[in-house]
Amino acid sequence: MEERPLFRVGAAGLDPRDSRLIEIVFKHSQYNKYEYRLTASLEQGAVDVLIVNSVAPEGLQALSLLRSAGRDVPVIAAVPRGSPSSARHAISIDRLTLQLLPILNRVVELELLSPEGATRAAAGAASGAAPAAAAASSAAAAPPIAGPVSTQPGSRASVPAGSAPATPRPMPPATAPVVPAA
């Protein structure tokens, strides 16, 4: 089997049960195009993506710790059901297992593998960041996708907060029914 790029995911402010669910999803995601590993350390260069409950004090503290260290890590806001989020990427905690891989794939492709994200990853590597940025550089030529992707047949991915829905196709002009002359 072909080796997949590995990305380390940190979690802060989540319930221990939710962290365990994340580990289980990662363990059983052998058909996903990227490999993810949950890491407990939020030290310099220890995470590539951070999932944070911005409502919990621990989540806010972890977020400020990363920002104060000057590390530009993509963040996914894990919000309780019904709570609004102004984050670029958000996931509902009650739908964590369904939304986790699609949103992580989207964040990796938009934030870490896109040309702008690759520049940020290279800067992070110079400051002691993860080897995952180097593994991702080989896949940096792949263009980012327009929406969330699910690699499992029959699964439905939801659109993350802040993204625009797909533009509907134009309908053909309506024609009046033809009534035969009597």
Side-chain angles (χ1 to χ4, degrees):
M1 186 169 177
E2 163 180 335
E3 192 171 322
R4 303 173 294 161
L6 172 66
F7 295 95
R8 295 158 309 165
V9 178
L14 297 178
D15 186 77
R17 182 193 62 122
D18 295 326
S19 294
R20 180 67 182 132
L21 281 173
I22 292 172
E23 288 177 335
I24 292 169
V25 169
F26 289 169
K27 181 180 178 182
H28 295 284
S29 65
Q30 67 267 19
Y31 298 111
N32 194 46
K33 59 180 147 183
Y34 306 114
E35 182 178 353
Y36 298 107
R37 183 168 300 138
L38 189 64
T39 181
S41 174
L42 297 179
E43 293 178 10
Q44 179 77 14
V47 296
D48 300 307
V49 179
L50 178 64
I51 300 173
V52 62
N53 180 351
S54 55
V55 177
E58 299 87 12
L60 291 173
Q61 184 179 22
L63 192 56
S64 68
L65 175 70
L66 279 176
R67 296 295 186 237
S68 67
R71 185 88 200 284
D72 194 16
V73 175
V75 175
I76 299 172
V79 295
R81 183 179 192 169
S83 295
S85 174
S86 61
R88 182 172 182 188
H89 306 286
I91 187 170
S92 175
I93 291 176
D94 65 329
R95 312 243 332 143
L96 188 65
T97 55
L98 296 174
Q99 296 176 343
L100 184 61
L101 290 178
I103 192 75
L104 275 171
N105 289 344
R106 181 174 172 85
V107 168
V108 163
E109 290 167 351
L110 292 177
E111 305 282 335
L112 298 176
L113 298 181
S114 70
E116 298 84 25
T119 304
R120 179 179 39 232
S127 67
S137 66
S138 63
I145 56 168
V149 172
S150 176
T151 58
Q152 299 177 2
S155 66
R156 293 172 21 168
S158 63
V159 178
S163 18
T167 306
R169 286 191 185 137
M171 297 295 290
T175 59
V178 177
V179 179

